[in-house]
Amino acid sequence: MSVGVEALFTSALGLQSPWVVEDVKLETARRRIDFEIGCQATALACPACGGAAQPVHDRLRRSWRHLDFFQFEAWLHCDVPRVACAGCGKTTQAPVPWARPGSGFTAAFEALALALCRELPVRQAANLLRCLDKQLWRRLEFYVGQARAQESFAGVRTVGIDETSLRRGQHYITVVHDLDAKRLLFATEERDHQTVVDFAADLKAHGGDPAEVRHVCMDMSAAYAKGAALALPQAQISYDRFHVIAMANEAMDQVRREEMRDEAPAVRSALGTHDRKTLRQLMWGMRRNPSGWSRSQTNAMHWLQHSTLRSARAWRLKRALQAVYAAAREHNKPDDAGADLRAWLSWARRSRLEPFKKLATTIKDRFSAVVRGMLDHRSNAYVEAMNGLLQQAKRAARGFRTAANFITIAYLRMSKLKHLPAHPFSSAGAR
Ligand SMILES: [Zn+2]
């Protein structure tokens, strides 16, 4: 046994000559295991210029947190040689094979931390690893930045531009996805036309060509349209279902709010109640699809549908637009989709509901791009899936929810980065 302990851990840590484990100290009370690593060379290649066999000048004591061994917190310690080079005249600390320069964690520990942060909120990962979340954020930023710098965006043809906010209604972040490869390409604060220009520059920096982008799926903001015209000259625009339906919901909400404010007695008498709760049920019932109605929502919606309220008309208009989209998904014919949408627009224009008249104008001005979006099932489904992932990324950044941290986590989880360290527990065969 005495022969083997140091040699065993030398190979368990993956060390090779001249690095060897010279001592192992196990402290069961503190649940801690300490490895003393020695560098048995008296001469090393100069890290600065590469000059071979330069003399070791002195040694500096350093420590690293490593993956736990069994239930013990593991630490590596080493007097790291500094090489005094006769060639370049510099005195330089030798790199150690188990950690990157300047880090107090071993590379294996960092790789595990990264793997945990893909699945768990960062704070929770830090608790599991018994370190500070601040320490993890620094490393996430480093590895994600490094991996992203090596990523190639060559051949990107179809992108989706979307916005999200860190807190409701503020702190906007624009995200750009590759809709073919289904990955996040770019995220940045702000949501103006410059954002799209910045994306095009980043695409270029990663070997992509903005002139090769043929298709952009986005919301109807004028800023994105201006940016796309400036920076993605060959791209055909389509407006995705998600955003158009959201605008119809917003128009409907506006009609309901105004009617409740200006004609509260009429609304109450149509619903047969003065109950505030029923009015709230009505709001949710109008927003939700009927299949998701609760009993009290069904009740409120029953009275709404038998009323002559403006809110009832607004709700029918929204449902009709949803039906136009559903039909397009079924028949998949641009001409039929266009005819159905035109019929809806004419109804909306005659509705005497200002928000819907406005929406009809907005859609009419972008008619063919809206129709394209009706038939683009790929991006419609993807945009909604991505929204779910973005919400998870926000939760993962809880406690340190800055824009930079959110963007780092989003890249880590959604960019399919190929140059991140491998999970230290993945099997040797899987690497
Ligand atoms: Zn040198």
Side-chain angles (χ1 to χ4, degrees):
M1 190 64 192
S2 64
V3 189
V5 173
E6 285 81 14
L8 173 70
F9 281 111
T10 295
S11 75
L13 288 167
L15 299 180
Q16 284 171 347
S17 170
W19 307 96
V20 289
V21 172
E22 293 179 334
D23 191 22
V24 182
K25 270 199 213 86
L26 187 67
E27 288 184 72
T28 45
R30 286 173 66 206
R31 288 179 161 260
R32 187 176 154 131
I33 186 164
D34 288 90
F35 299 97
E36 186 64 39
I37 297 173
C39 176
Q40 295 179 331
T42 50
L44 290 166
C46 168
C49 74
Q54 298 302 315
V56 170
H57 173 74
D58 58 2
R59 290 168 194 263
L60 296 179
R61 183 111 188 115
R62 299 272 318 275
S63 296
W64 298 264
R65 174 81 187 281
H66 189 51
L67 300 174
D68 290 2
F69 267 95
F70 313 114
Q71 66 273 46
F72 300 106
E73 186 170 303
W75 288 80
L76 311 188
H77 310 276
C78 180
D79 293 328
V80 182
R82 285 201 307 168
V83 177
C85 179
C88 67
K90 286 179 186 149
T91 303
T92 317
Q93 185 169 309
V96 297
W98 55 85
R100 61 191 174 90
S103 178
F105 294 159
T106 64
F109 187 90
E110 291 184 334
L112 176 64
L114 226 58
L116 288 178
C117 290
R118 295 179 93 134
E119 312 292 335
L120 298 172
V122 174
R123 177 155 289 177
Q124 210 175 322
N127 287 341
L128 276 175
L129 294 165
R130 300 179 307 281
C131 65
L132 302 171
D133 44 359
K134 201 167 129 189
Q135 292 174 304
L136 293 192
W137 281 116
R138 268 210 311 270
R139 284 159 174 93
L140 288 173
E141 201 181 323
F142 171 81
Y143 280 110
V144 167
Q146 194 188 49
R148 215 180 152 266
Q150 298 174 68
E151 213 46 63
S152 165
F153 296 165
V156 170
R157 300 273 183 281
T158 309
V159 300
I161 304 177
D162 205 354
E163 64 171 44
T164 187
S165 63
L166 275 194
R167 273 165 282 280
R168 190 178 281 276
Q170 50 169 318
H171 225 110
Y172 285 96
I173 290 170
T174 296
V175 288
V176 184
H177 301 285
D178 181 338
L179 296 182
D180 297 319
K182 297 194 173 4
R183 61 172 178 162
L184 173 65
L185 295 176
F186 182 72
T188 189
E189 286 186 75
E190 300 307 330
R191 47 163 179 174
D192 50 28
H193 77 271
Q194 184 59 34
T195 313
V196 185
V197 176
D198 292 346
F199 159 68
D202 187 70
L203 181 70
K204 240 179 184 164
H206 287 87
D209 181 357
E212 281 184 6
V213 175
R214 296 291 156 148
H215 187 136
V216 186
C217 182
M218 58 190 199
D219 67 24
M220 292 195 194
S221 82
Y224 287 159
K226 182 179 169 191
L230 279 172
L232 306 171
Q234 304 297 322
Q236 198 175 45
I237 289 170
S238 71
Y239 296 112
D240 68 77
R241 177 173 68 104
F242 190 76
H243 287 113
V244 178
I245 298 295
M247 289 170 89
N249 262 309
E250 181 44 45
M252 179 191 75
D253 267 348
Q254 203 181 327
V255 171
R256 181 189 49 81
R257 276 196 306 271
E258 280 167 12
E259 190 168 43
M260 287 216 183
R261 187 189 62 208
D262 301 341
E263 279 151 77
V267 175
R268 290 197 180 115
S269 99
L271 294 177
T273 180
H274 292 261
D275 186 9
R276 275 172 163 262
K277 239 162 88 185
T278 307
L279 294 179
R280 276 196 75 75
Q281 293 307 324
L282 178 68
M283 176 184 86
W284 288 111
M286 287 174 75
R287 288 181 186 172
R288 252 174 221 161
N289 287 336
S291 59
W293 285 345
S294 68
R295 181 192 276 272
S296 45
Q297 283 162 5
T298 306
N299 203 23
M301 291 304 292
H302 170 84
W303 291 114
L304 180 78
Q305 288 173 72
H306 288 82
S307 76
T308 54
L309 293 174
R310 291 205 303 276
S311 299
R313 291 211 313 281
W315 179 71
R316 282 190 204 104
L317 269 164
K318 184 207 59 164
R319 292 290 294 161
L321 185 60
Q322 284 177 320
V324 169
Y325 271 89
R329 203 161 19 185
E330 286 290 315
H331 58 59
N332 206 29
K333 290 181 192 140
D335 290 349
D336 292 3
D340 288 352
L341 184 61
R342 225 170 264 120
W344 186 87
L345 289 178
S346 126
W347 179 16
R349 272 199 305 272
R350 289 181 285 107
S351 69
R352 286 170 285 127
L353 301 171
E354 263 327 300
F356 277 94
K357 284 162 77 177
K358 241 175 93 185
L359 176 60
T361 306
T362 305
I363 292 177
K364 186 172 160 280
D365 289 348
R366 300 162 177 81
F367 190 81
S368 47
V370 173
V371 172
R372 271 197 295 277
M374 293 169 83
L375 301 166
D376 190 350
H377 319 301
R378 183 186 46 183
S379 38
N380 283 329
Y382 182 68
V383 165
E384 288 182 44
M386 282 305 101
N387 270 312
L389 289 179
L390 286 170
Q391 297 312 319
Q392 284 176 22
K394 274 173 219 170
R395 285 195 287 278
R398 192 162 18 200
F400 263 96
R401 197 182 290 161
T402 63
N405 284 347
F406 165 68
I407 289 170
T408 298
I409 282 287
Y411 282 147
L412 176 72
R413 294 179 172 197
M414 299 165 67
S415 290
K416 301 187 177 170
L417 296 171
K418 290 188 279 295
H419 303 279
L420 288 170
H423 193 305
F425 298 156
S426 64
S427 68
R431 281 188 190 190

